[in-house]
PDB file of all heavy atoms in Angstrom:
ATOM      1  N   GLY G  97       6.568  -8.156  12.893  1.00 98.00           N
ATOM      2  CA  GLY G  97       5.112  -7.765  12.957  1.00 98.00           C
ATOM      3  C   GLY G  97       4.667  -6.990  11.774  1.00 98.00           C
ATOM      4  O   GLY G  97       4.806  -7.634  10.668  1.00 98.00           O
ATOM      5  N   ILE G  98       3.989  -5.932  11.977  1.00 98.00           N
ATOM      6  CA  ILE G  98       3.388  -5.200  10.879  1.00 98.00           C
ATOM      7  C   ILE G  98       4.193  -3.941  10.683  1.00 98.00           C
ATOM      8  O   ILE G  98       4.419  -3.133  11.729  1.00 98.00           O
ATOM      9  CB  ILE G  98       1.909  -4.948  11.117  1.00 98.00           C
ATOM     10  CG1 ILE G  98       1.124  -6.197  11.114  1.00 98.00           C
ATOM     11  CG2 ILE G  98       1.280  -3.886  10.217  1.00 98.00           C
ATOM     12  CD1 ILE G  98      -0.383  -5.996  11.608  1.00 98.00           C
ATOM     13  N   VAL G  99       4.472  -3.671   9.401  1.00 98.00           N
ATOM     14  CA  VAL G  99       5.025  -2.359   9.029  1.00 98.00           C
ATOM     15  C   VAL G  99       4.247  -1.775   7.989  1.00 98.00           C
ATOM     16  O   VAL G  99       3.819  -2.360   6.949  1.00 98.00           O
ATOM     17  CB  VAL G  99       6.496  -2.517   8.443  1.00 98.00           C
ATOM     18  CG1 VAL G  99       7.065  -1.207   7.947  1.00 98.00           C
ATOM     19  CG2 VAL G  99       7.488  -3.245   9.574  1.00 98.00           C
ATOM     20  N   ILE G 100       3.734  -0.537   8.283  1.00 98.00           N
ATOM     21  CA  ILE G 100       2.839   0.198   7.316  1.00 98.00           C
ATOM     22  C   ILE G 100       3.593   1.436   6.741  1.00 98.00           C
ATOM     23  O   ILE G 100       4.007   2.290   7.574  1.00 98.00           O
ATOM     24  CB  ILE G 100       1.588   0.687   8.060  1.00 98.00           C
ATOM     25  CG1 ILE G 100       0.700  -0.608   8.430  1.00 98.00           C
ATOM     26  CG2 ILE G 100       0.690   1.518   7.169  1.00 98.00           C
ATOM     27  CD1 ILE G 100      -0.323  -0.177   9.444  1.00 98.00           C
ATOM     28  N   ASN G 101       3.774   1.372   5.444  1.00 98.00           N
ATOM     29  CA  ASN G 101       4.460   2.536   4.762  1.00 98.00           C
ATOM     30  C   ASN G 101       3.371   3.318   4.146  1.00 98.00           C
ATOM     31  O   ASN G 101       2.831   3.050   3.107  1.00 98.00           O
ATOM     32  CB  ASN G 101       5.421   2.006   3.764  1.00 98.00           C
ATOM     33  CG  ASN G 101       6.245   3.214   3.099  1.00 98.00           C
ATOM     34  OD1 ASN G 101       6.049   4.333   3.581  1.00 98.00           O
ATOM     35  ND2 ASN G 101       7.020   2.890   2.033  1.00 98.00           N
ATOM     36  N   VAL G 102       3.071   4.434   4.869  1.00 97.00           N
ATOM     37  CA  VAL G 102       1.919   5.281   4.336  1.00 97.00           C
ATOM     38  C   VAL G 102       2.101   5.806   3.019  1.00 97.00           C
ATOM     39  O   VAL G 102       1.131   6.066   2.227  1.00 97.00           O
ATOM     40  CB  VAL G 102       1.499   6.347   5.364  1.00 97.00           C
ATOM     41  CG1 VAL G 102       0.930   5.659   6.718  1.00 97.00           C
ATOM     42  CG2 VAL G 102       2.685   7.216   5.640  1.00 97.00           C
ATOM     43  N   ALA G 103       3.435   6.200   2.722  1.00 97.00           N
ATOM     44  CA  ALA G 103       3.737   6.846   1.315  1.00 97.00           C
ATOM     45  C   ALA G 103       3.330   6.047   0.211  1.00 97.00           C
ATOM     46  O   ALA G 103       2.792   6.406  -0.779  1.00 97.00           O
ATOM     47  CB  ALA G 103       5.291   7.214   1.337  1.00 97.00           C
ATOM     48  N   GLU G 104       3.500   4.574   0.233  1.00 97.00           N
ATOM     49  CA  GLU G 104       3.206   3.706  -0.816  1.00 97.00           C
ATOM     50  C   GLU G 104       1.883   2.982  -0.545  1.00 97.00           C
ATOM     51  O   GLU G 104       1.457   2.166  -1.438  1.00 97.00           O
ATOM     52  CB  GLU G 104       4.289   2.686  -1.087  1.00 97.00           C
ATOM     53  CG  GLU G 104       4.535   1.776   0.126  1.00 97.00           C
ATOM     54  CD  GLU G 104       5.542   0.707  -0.175  1.00 97.00           C
ATOM     55  OE1 GLU G 104       5.463   0.110  -1.289  1.00 97.00           O
ATOM     56  OE2 GLU G 104       6.382   0.348   0.697  1.00 97.00           O
ATOM     57  N   MET G 105       1.213   3.201   0.529  1.00 97.00           N
ATOM     58  CA  MET G 105      -0.127   2.633   0.897  1.00 97.00           C
ATOM     59  C   MET G 105      -0.077   1.089   0.876  1.00 97.00           C
ATOM     60  O   MET G 105      -0.893   0.444   0.155  1.00 97.00           O
ATOM     61  CB  MET G 105      -1.136   3.245   0.016  1.00 97.00           C
ATOM     62  CG  MET G 105      -1.336   4.778   0.113  1.00 97.00           C
ATOM     63  SD  MET G 105      -2.924   5.374  -0.464  1.00 97.00           S
ATOM     64  CE  MET G 105      -2.427   7.050  -0.784  1.00 97.00           C
ATOM     65  N   ARG G 106       0.941   0.586   1.547  1.00 98.00           N
ATOM     66  CA  ARG G 106       1.074  -0.862   1.561  1.00 98.00           C
ATOM     67  C   ARG G 106       1.361  -1.295   3.089  1.00 98.00           C
ATOM     68  O   ARG G 106       2.073  -0.556   3.803  1.00 98.00           O
ATOM     69  CB  ARG G 106       2.307  -1.374   0.824  1.00 98.00           C
ATOM     70  CG  ARG G 106       1.958  -1.511  -0.803  1.00 98.00           C
ATOM     71  CD  ARG G 106       3.076  -2.265  -1.427  1.00 98.00           C
ATOM     72  NE  ARG G 106       2.711  -2.408  -2.896  1.00 98.00           N
ATOM     73  CZ  ARG G 106       3.383  -1.894  -3.906  1.00 98.00           C
ATOM     74  NH1 ARG G 106       4.281  -0.910  -3.613  1.00 98.00           N
ATOM     75  NH2 ARG G 106       3.016  -2.217  -5.133  1.00 98.00           N
ATOM     76  N   LEU G 107       0.804  -2.409   3.507  1.00 98.00           N
ATOM     77  CA  LEU G 107       1.100  -3.063   4.703  1.00 98.00           C
ATOM     78  C   LEU G 107       2.008  -4.247   4.502  1.00 98.00           C
ATOM     79  O   LEU G 107       1.619  -5.134   3.747  1.00 98.00           O
ATOM     80  CB  LEU G 107      -0.322  -3.368   5.439  1.00 98.00           C
ATOM     81  CG  LEU G 107      -0.293  -3.932   6.736  1.00 98.00           C
ATOM     82  CD1 LEU G 107      -1.586  -3.668   7.542  1.00 98.00           C
ATOM     83  CD2 LEU G 107      -0.003  -5.518   6.856  1.00 98.00           C
TER      84      LEU G 107
END
Side-chain angles (χ1 to χ4, degrees):
I98 290 172
V99 177
I100 294 169
N101 187 5
V102 294
E104 63 174 318
M105 301 196 202
R106 283 189 174 110
L107 180 153

